[in-house]
Amino acid sequence: MKKSVELKVNGESYELAIDPRRTLLEVLRDGLGLTGTKKGCGAGDCGACTVIMDGKPVVSCLVLAVEAQGKDIMTIEGLATDGQLHPLQAAFVEHGATQCGFCTPGMILSAKALLDANPKPTEEEIVQGISGNLCRCTGYVKIVEAITAASQKL
Amino acid sequence: MGLPKFEYLAPESIAEACSLLSQYKDKAKVIAGGTDLLVNMNNRELTPQYLIGLKNIPDLDRVEYDPAQGLRIGALASHQAVAGSPVIRDKFNLLADAAGKVGTPQIRNLGTIGGNLCNAAPSADTASPLLVLGASVKLVSVRGERTIPLTQFFTGALETCLEPDELLTEIQVPKPAPHTRGVYIKHCARGSEVDITTLGVSVLVTMAEDNTFADARIALATAAPTPMRAERAETVLIGKTIEDSVIEQAAQTASEEARPRTSMRSTAEYRREMVKVLTRRAIKQALEQAG
């Protein structure tokens, strides 16, 4: 039986009737059309589905949408403001930290959550901060460089 | 494919949750962080008809400390909350370290310390620190409550003594004696700590003024079907002078006491050898912390 749920995503409120077995990932993509959040492994291991929930990075494939009621959710779509890229997004472009782009939304959100909590992280702290986001393309070096550069601008 | 169908219930008190568990028993599963449960439901290993969500129950995630009662951690406290708690980092440092090494940041923000213990993997990172700290767990049902030592909680691989209608609500950790220091070493075969622990060792030592071990506790992860205390190794240390030969003997004894198996991540032989290496290392690191 569907439950009535209010989801707060990127500052907007959405009233939805949700089947309890739908994950937050499914509802973001299929219910709200916010396809920036990607499905990778579906088991919480790869981090492609990372969103920021109440300030903390979580894997949305393991969050029941009905349990996201009342939480502040940020997806990759919520990062740019007034058409301007967030410094993290700009840094990823500048430093070549994106190849296929599939890990990028989750990676950037993990980085954002890291920098919000720790504005000037060491390289080790950056590596720890993105340890839940797998990238098959880049080998991570340019991702770490981009996050370091963004942290210097923020 | 998605999750299988289930009805979602959201009790607002422990009593209500217990009542639902009593009503539905094996047809229901409680959901805390969901990081193990939903994975098992996705692969159809578990297909409960009812999920009893615990997140609306107030104060089930509290971390409280006072010198008399010690530490009380609500079952729904996330691993990140445990890892970041100032009082746990200060007074129960090995537990904070261990919680901070469970999986990835995303998993630590969702997964709970109580849910993880109830999942009862022999590799559970917080289990061996809690065992050496002498933790107990509070189990509640409509029939009443009981508090049992964690040493009695794990009954087999992925099995606990939790009854189908029982809820683990709290983990209780007594205040350690003065001059006590602990260390948790998480060893992963491929060096990546986001992986399931290949071999874990926790040590808690209390130093006496005459340079002997006033108390010593050793616990192992992924060295037996359950997280285990290495009690024979502990007796090698207790009352003895703190010196290399004694430490070596304890490490050797722990290695003999372990009951590791060969699995995807490692062999029994390697695990047994690493029990010795890491017990020795953990004891020395704990002693260095005190000095």
Side-chain angles (χ1 to χ4, degrees), chain A residues 24-122:
Chain A
L24 178 60
L25 175 63
E26 289 168 330
V27 170
L28 287 171
R29 291 183 54 84
D30 306 330
L32 298 179
L34 295 170
T35 54
T37 310
K38 305 303 182 194
K39 179 175 178 181
C41 68
D45 288 329
C46 74
C49 69
T50 301
V51 298
I52 300 180
M53 197 162 79
D54 282 350
K56 296 173 228 165
V58 296
V59 281
S60 58
C61 68
L62 295 184
V63 176
L64 292 178
V66 295
E67 291 193 335
Q69 161 82 39
K71 311 257 187 222
D72 273 310
I73 295 160
M74 176 183 277
T75 69
I76 191 67
E77 288 90 346
L79 214 52
T81 44
D82 297 323
Q84 290 275 62
L85 290 183
H86 186 277
L88 270 168
Q89 291 170 306
F92 267 58
V93 171
E94 230 174 276
H95 290 264
T98 289
Q99 289 185 30
C100 82
F102 203 78
C103 77
T104 304
M107 189 73 73
I108 288 182
L109 289 173
S110 283
K112 174 165 192 337
L114 169 71
L115 295 182
D116 284 349
N118 182 0
K120 301 286 181 228
T122 62

Side-chain angles (χ1 to χ4, degrees), chain A residues 3 20-23 26 42-44 47 50 53 56-59 62-64 66-67 110 128-129 131-133, chain B residues 1-6 8 31-35 38-39 42 51 53-55 104-110 194:
Chain A
K3 289 201 183 274
R21 68 179 157 155
R22 293 277 81 92
T23 63
E26 289 168 330
T50 301
M53 197 162 79
K56 296 173 228 165
V58 296
V59 281
L62 295 184
V63 176
L64 292 178
V66 295
E67 291 193 335
S110 283
Q128 286 294 327
S131 62
N133 294 81
Chain B
M1 187 169 58
L3 287 166
K5 255 181 92 126
F6 57 86
Y8 181 79
I31 175 167
T35 53
L38 296 183
V39 172
N42 266 321
L51 281 197
L54 300 176
K55 295 196 177 76
T104 64
Q106 293 92 320
I107 291 295
R108 289 194 286 276
N109 283 325
L110 288 172
V194 302

Side-chain angles (χ1 to χ4, degrees), chain B residues 16-17 21 23 38 54 75 94 113 134-135 144 152 165 168 187-188 193 232 238 271 279:
Chain B
E16 204 187 327
L21 265 175
Q23 187 181 349
L38 296 183
L54 300 176
L94 70 162
I113 189 167
Q152 294 171 18
D165 66 343
L168 187 156
H187 180 65
C188 290
E193 282 188 345
R232 280 180 16 227
I238 296 173
R271 285 188 163 113
T279 298

Side-chain angles (χ1 to χ4, degrees), chain B residues 187-205:
Chain B
H187 180 65
C188 290
R190 286 169 300 174
S192 164
E193 282 188 345
V194 302
D195 201 359
I196 288 175
T197 303
T198 296
L199 198 286
V201 176
S202 289
V203 163
L204 198 73
V205 292

